[in-house]
Each structure stands twice: as C-alpha cells, then as structure tokens.
C-alpha cells in the first residue's frame, strides 16, 4: 500500500483543521470532505478515527458527549480508534482532575475495546492515520512479509508456512513442527496444547488459535 492512494473521508466539521491540510500534503493521500455519521476520519474504508485534542476531550467529558461517542464508535461497522492529540501543557488550565480523565479513557479503551493512539500535533495525527491504514492493509492482505528464498524441502516449506502465524519466527516454527509433527497438527491444536510448546505460553497460543479458526455460527429459532 506504500505506492497506493489512500482514500480518507474527513467529516465536514474537520474541513478547516490542520490535520486535513497535513493529509492533503501527502502524495499518497486523497481527501474527500463530507458529513460522517460517526467519527471524524474514515481511512481506506477500513478504519474510523475519532480525533480529539486534549482540550476537546475535557469539554466532551464535562458535557457528557464523550462516552456516547465512544459507544457509537464501538458499535460501528469499521475498526474504530480514538486519536488523542496534544501535550500535557494543553491541560494546564483545564481544572479537571487526572482521575476523571483516566476514568473516561478506561471506559472507552478497556470496557468498550476502542484502541487509543496519541499524537503531539496535527501533522503527527495525519501520519498516524496513514501509517495505520498501511499496517491494516498489510495484515488483511496476507500477514507480514517473510524474507528469504522460496523453500525447497518439505521441512523448510513447513517452517515457512508456520512463520505466517502471529509472532512466530524460525525458532518457534521449528519448535511447533518438532512438537506436533505437521503443520496441520500445529494449526489445529487446542490453545492448551499450543501453550505447552517452549516459548509460546497461553497468550500467544490464544493469538495463534484466533488467527486460524473461524467463529462457530449459531442461529436462533423463532417460535411462533
């Protein structure tokens, strides 16, 4: 995606801010201005950013808008991110306690599951949005690149395949093959079995299981 044009839709209420100007200066970015129902920036059709300066954050907490916005972001169809812009100096005269700000952010990030990114200024906000779009596209398009020549032996091919799993490099791939015997055995193993492999543990085992499994669909029968 480094050479592809990234389409950014900016909410019309952001049209005059410096972030839009910074985005327009990037040769890889095409900016469209229109009203968004939720969020401030829709990036590459995949990500939705709610941008707030630290001063905006304080005002939205005081007037009760912040948590409502966060709930709408969490229930939206796109991957949502809160982009918090500014430095501690911006809060110097806010008269809001650190605990109140932390409480609101804990609700948004931990309880509602919305990631939070920090930037110092509008230029960095623009860069973060474009970088996030590239990273997202790389992962959706088939994972992070693996360097080296195409493997010829079966074991080398097995190791190459397993290195496409989250946080699995050559050493962990070899341990998976040694432990389970086959690629199929490794990717169909239960999280508890994966966690027994040296260097993995429960957290990474869960990530591997998530990356190779599909959720079971359930259907409710409507009684008439």
């Amino acid at each position: 995606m480094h050479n592809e044009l990234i389409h950014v839709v900016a909410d019309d209420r952001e049209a005059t801010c410096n972030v839009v100007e910074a985005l327009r200066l990037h040769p890889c970015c095409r900016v469209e201005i229109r009203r968004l129902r939720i969020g401030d920036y829709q990036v590459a059709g995949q990500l939705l950013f709610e941008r707030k300066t630290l001063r905006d954050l304080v005002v939205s907490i005081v007037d009760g808008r912040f948590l409502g916005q966060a709930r709408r972001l969490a229930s939206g169809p796109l991957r949502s991110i809160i982009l918090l812009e500014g430095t501690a100096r911006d809060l110097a005269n806010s008269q809001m306690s650190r605990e109140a700000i932390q409480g609101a952010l804990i609700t948004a990030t931990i309880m509602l599951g919305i990631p939070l990114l920090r930037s110092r200024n509008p230029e960095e906000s623009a860069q973060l949005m474009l970088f996030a779009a590239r990273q997202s596209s790389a992962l959706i398009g088939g994972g992070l690149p693996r360097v080296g020549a195409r493997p010829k032996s079966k074991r080398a091919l097995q190791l190459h395949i397993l290195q496409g799993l989250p946080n699995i490099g050559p050493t962990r791939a070899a341990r998976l093959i040694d432990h389970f015997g086959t690629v199929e055995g490794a990717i169909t193993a239960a999280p508890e079995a994966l966690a027994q492999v040296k260097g993995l543990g429960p957290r990474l085992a869960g990530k591997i299981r998530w990356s190779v499994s599909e959720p079971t669909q359930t259907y409710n029968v409507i009684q008439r």
Side-chain angles (χ1 to χ4, degrees):
M1 194 169 186
H2 285 281
N3 297 320
E4 295 181 15
L5 205 60
I6 300 174
H7 182 207
V8 177
V9 179
D11 186 78
D12 57 8
R13 289 159 289 195
E14 291 275 306
T16 59
C17 81
N18 291 334
V19 175
V20 170
E21 181 180 350
L23 286 168
R24 283 177 168 151
L25 291 175
H26 280 269
C28 69
C29 182
R30 177 170 66 87
V31 180
E32 175 189 351
I33 305 293
R34 60 178 166 88
R35 180 60 58 96
L36 294 176
R37 186 175 61 85
I38 55 174
D40 295 317
Y41 296 89
Q42 189 182 104
V43 181
Q46 301 169 7
L47 305 174
L48 185 66
F49 288 85
E50 174 73 27
R51 169 188 165 263
K52 288 193 179 297
T53 66
L54 286 170
R55 291 174 184 172
D56 290 338
L57 175 67
V58 169
V59 172
S60 66
I61 292 172
V62 170
D63 64 20
R65 285 183 295 116
F66 179 71
L67 291 182
Q69 291 173 330
R71 290 188 185 97
R72 288 193 293 275
L73 288 170
S75 61
L78 299 180
R79 177 70 166 167
S80 298
I81 303 101
I82 295 172
L83 180 54
L84 197 54
E85 182 182 295
T87 64
R89 287 177 296 181
D90 298 324
L91 294 176
N93 299 314
S94 70
Q95 298 183 345
M96 175 170 280
S97 70
R98 181 180 177 87
E99 289 77 11
I101 295 172
Q102 288 177 328
L105 293 178
I106 286 171
T107 299
T109 57
I110 298 177
M111 306 305 175
L112 296 178
I114 306 172
L116 174 71
L117 292 177
R118 289 292 310 274
S119 76
R120 291 166 294 182
N121 51 50
E123 291 74 21
E124 190 173 33
S125 293
Q127 291 172 1
L128 277 173
M129 285 190 279
L130 297 178
F131 183 65
R134 293 191 189 101
Q135 292 286 86
S136 177
S137 180
L139 291 172
I140 290 173
L144 298 176
R146 284 163 283 170
V147 297
R150 185 178 296 276
K152 293 182 173 60
S153 70
K154 183 171 182 178
R155 181 176 173 85
L157 180 59
Q158 290 173 324
L159 296 176
H160 183 75
I161 292 170
L162 289 176
Q163 286 177 67
L165 296 172
N167 302 111
I168 299 299
T171 301
R172 284 173 172 165
R175 289 173 181 168
L176 283 168
I177 287 295
D178 292 341
H179 188 91
F180 294 105
T182 64
V183 171
E184 182 180 14
I187 65 176
T188 58
E192 296 78 12
L194 287 167
Q196 297 303 311
V197 178
K198 183 180 179 181
L200 265 66
R203 185 171 182 177
L204 181 51
K207 289 179 68 175
I208 293 171
R209 194 71 232 130
W210 171 84
S211 71
V212 299
S213 62
E214 292 294 333
T216 301
Q217 299 294 329
T218 58
Y219 301 90
N220 294 324
V221 177
I222 299 175
Q223 301 291 338
R224 295 178 178 242

